Amino acid sequence: MAIVTDTTLHTALRARGQRATPQRLMIAATVRGLRRHATAEEIHTEVGARMPGVSLPTVYATLELLEDLGLVRRVATASGTAVYDPRTDEHHHLVCRRCGAIMDLDAPVDHGALLGAARGAGFVPDDAQVVVRGLCAGCAAGAAAAPPRAAR
């Protein structure tokens, strides 16, 4: 599992002529420390507890920078809210349509075919991610245990 380190971040920022500010380092460390998918707001709350005064726009800008550097992955949800994933290696996601949980999925996918089909449609792809939507195990078990709803 590939996860960004402070050394990786320092090197990537220097290569772009940018500084490794305390705020950037704290935001990257927070994403890494959460070890789960998190929204910018959740990351902001965690960062604010350790470094008061860091603004939400700074968190968003830093997350965008980290994504541009390939040091975090943004995963779009059905609601449109983006979550940020500290894993940058190739993997996919399971998204529960009931509770909103997002889980990593390690499964082989023919990215060449996906990207080729995109190119065939006139699209210029950067990468591809598969998102499988449905019910997580907990919600599926709850749905099976729940009595059927009356027809309206």
Side-chain angles (χ1 to χ4, degrees), residues 106-125:
D106 293 303
V109 172
D110 184 355
H111 280 84
L114 287 172
L115 298 175
R119 285 186 198 96
F123 192 77
V124 181

Side-chain angles (χ1 to χ4, degrees), residues 84-119:
Y84 295 87
D85 187 349
R87 276 189 65 184
T88 59
D89 59 315
E90 191 171 286
H91 68 283
H92 310 288
H93 294 95
L94 302 170
V95 178
C96 181
R97 64 179 155 79
R98 180 169 291 153
C99 71
I102 299 173
M103 295 151 281
D104 292 333
L105 174 64
D106 293 303
V109 172
D110 184 355
H111 280 84
L114 287 172
L115 298 175
R119 285 186 198 96

Side-chain angles (χ1 to χ4, degrees), residues 147-152:
R149 289 193 230 180
R152 295 182 185 203

Side-chain angles (χ1 to χ4, degrees), residues 8-120:
T8 307
L9 180 55
H10 275 279
T11 301
L13 288 170
R14 274 197 298 269
R16 289 177 58 142
Q18 295 178 302
R19 294 182 14 227
T21 65
Q23 293 87 352
R24 288 176 176 161
L25 293 173
M26 178 59 73
I27 292 164
T30 299
V31 171
R32 184 173 60 244
L34 288 173
R35 301 186 65 84
R36 63 177 174 81
H37 305 90
T39 66
E41 290 78 9
E42 291 170 322
I43 295 164
H44 177 251
T45 298
E46 292 290 324
V47 169
R50 293 183 221 141
M51 184 181 273
V54 175
S55 69
L56 185 56
T58 297
V59 171
Y60 272 107
T62 301
L63 290 169
E64 185 175 319
L65 174 62
L66 293 173
E67 182 185 15
D68 287 347
L69 293 170
L71 302 176
V72 299
R73 292 177 79 179
R74 181 174 28 188
V75 180
T77 64
S79 68
T81 302
V83 295
Y84 295 87
D85 187 349
R87 276 189 65 184
T88 59
D89 59 315
E90 191 171 286
H91 68 283
H92 310 288
H93 294 95
L94 302 170
V95 178
C96 181
R97 64 179 155 79
R98 180 169 291 153
C99 71
I102 299 173
M103 295 151 281
D104 292 333
L105 174 64
D106 293 303
V109 172
D110 184 355
H111 280 84
L114 287 172
L115 298 175
R119 285 186 198 96

